[in-house]
Amino acid sequence: MSSRSQRSRQSTTTRITDEQIVDLLTKLQDLLPETRSRSSGRVAASKVLQETCNHIRSLHKEVDDLSERLSELLATTDTTSAQAAIIRSLLEM
Amino acid sequence: MQDMNAMQATHFLRLLSRLKPLMAPTLPISTSQQTKFILKSAYASMAYAAGPRRVWSRALVRRIRRNRRRPTMRIINKRRHVVRPRRRPAEGGSEELRKVIPGGDTILNGARLVEETSDYVQFLRTQVIIMKALVSSFSKGQHG
């Protein structure tokens, strides 16, 4: 394991170490609900990477769907209601 | 963090407001064009809120600017053409992650990739919250 990471120091890409996976886990803890249930750190690096990729993809899909939804709503809303809604959401933010 | 959200939301709304003049009956745009505009605005406001310090935000801006230009002619300028060196396939299963993060293929260091990933996810998550709030706000307006 250590020899592999020694070799990768010369290569153009470095392997993501377990330490970095733990770091990623900590940072994403709130965002990856599956990781919350795991108390001890014995998580396969590949699993975390896979879950992160899936999570990002689902977020992309959400942005896509919400864009479509917003597009429909904007088309049917008149200008004054749209402005009122925008101001309302700004205040609620 | 709250300040970041407000900045991201304000920028998104500002971009959206540019849509209204385009929707005037004299100059109608198709629904799909509208959706594309909103989608671009979403990623643009994420990149704007994050600033140029991130690889992913710079890559997003580049992507958006590229799409804006009409691909009419393909001019191959030898001086500008950057040849990407063939990289050894990244170890540790991070190839997929690099594909999903904008500009991820240029991030060589594992630690940096982790930083960029968590940052990108935070801004993505915020964008979803902003858009959901807008959708519910617009929906309320319709019944109000």
Side-chain angles (χ1 to χ4, degrees):
Chain A
M1 186 86 160
S2 56
S3 55
R4 232 198 270 166
S5 52
Q6 296 245 322
R7 199 165 32 119
S8 68
R9 220 175 279 152
Q10 263 77 45
S11 73
T12 49
T13 56
T14 53
R15 170 205 172 98
I16 294 192
T17 64
D18 287 339
E19 226 175 74
Q20 289 162 346
I21 294 296
V22 172
D23 188 35
L24 180 60
L25 256 179
T26 323
K27 285 183 173 148
L28 294 180
Q29 215 144 16
D30 299 322
L31 307 174
L32 289 177
E34 305 86 40
T35 62
R36 249 187 259 133
S37 52
R38 293 197 188 96
S39 44
S40 61
R42 253 2 191 135
V43 189
S46 55
K47 187 89 171 44
V48 176
L49 285 171
Q50 189 58 51
E51 281 178 2
T52 310
C53 286
N54 294 342
H55 185 59
I56 291 175
R57 285 206 190 93
S58 75
L59 285 171
H60 285 168
K61 180 91 182 29
E62 274 201 270
V63 174
D64 268 355
D65 295 341
L66 286 165
S67 298
E68 266 188 56
R69 186 92 185 91
L70 270 177
S71 185
E72 291 166 19
L73 284 169
L74 276 173
T76 53
T77 316
D78 64 85
T79 323
T80 30
S81 313
Q83 288 170 347
I86 284 171
I87 293 166
R88 209 186 302 130
S89 25
L90 262 175
L91 293 171
E92 281 163 13
M93 273 277 142
Chain B
M1 202 59 205
Q2 269 310 109
D3 292 332
M4 278 300 208
N5 291 357
M7 192 163 73
Q8 198 170 330
T10 320
H11 193 72
F12 184 55
L13 291 168
R14 204 176 290 148
L15 289 173
L16 278 189
S17 65
R18 289 191 198 158
L19 195 54
K20 264 301 168 182
L22 295 173
M23 286 164 60
T26 49
L27 198 72
I29 63 171
S30 69
T31 322
S32 66
Q33 277 180 299
Q34 208 173 285
T35 309
K36 269 198 205 126
F37 182 89
I38 295 173
L39 190 65
K40 269 196 341 204
S41 306
Y43 286 105
S45 37
M46 277 172 59
Y48 179 83
R53 64 194 162 93
R54 287 293 177 197
V55 172
W56 67 261
S57 57
R58 294 197 299 269
L60 269 183
V61 170
R62 240 179 283 128
R63 200 185 287 175
I64 293 166
R65 287 202 183 135
R66 249 207 317 266
N67 290 341
R68 204 178 284 166
R69 238 175 260 135
R70 291 254 175 114
T72 46
M73 286 192 287
R74 284 247 180 107
I75 299 170
I76 301 170
N77 187 341
K78 287 246 164 103
R79 241 184 329 128
R80 274 192 169 162
H81 183 63
V82 177
V83 178
R84 282 245 176 87
R86 256 297 147 105
R87 289 200 175 84
R88 262 226 332 246
E91 301 171 62
S94 57
E95 318 89 58
E96 221 188 323
L97 193 57
R98 281 192 173 89
K99 281 191 213 151
V100 164
I101 308 285
D105 53 345
T106 63
I107 301 171
L108 306 179
N109 182 270
R112 178 48 80 101
L113 182 61
V114 168
E115 268 178 47
E116 293 275 332
T117 303
S118 69
D119 198 62
Y120 182 60
V121 169
Q122 278 185 309
F123 279 88
L124 255 181
R125 181 113 172 146
T126 305
Q127 189 61 35
V128 167
I129 292 170
I130 290 170
M131 290 170 87
K132 279 186 176 160
L134 262 182
V135 166
S136 75
S137 196
F138 274 123
S139 305
K140 270 193 220 130
Q142 301 217 324
H143 300 309

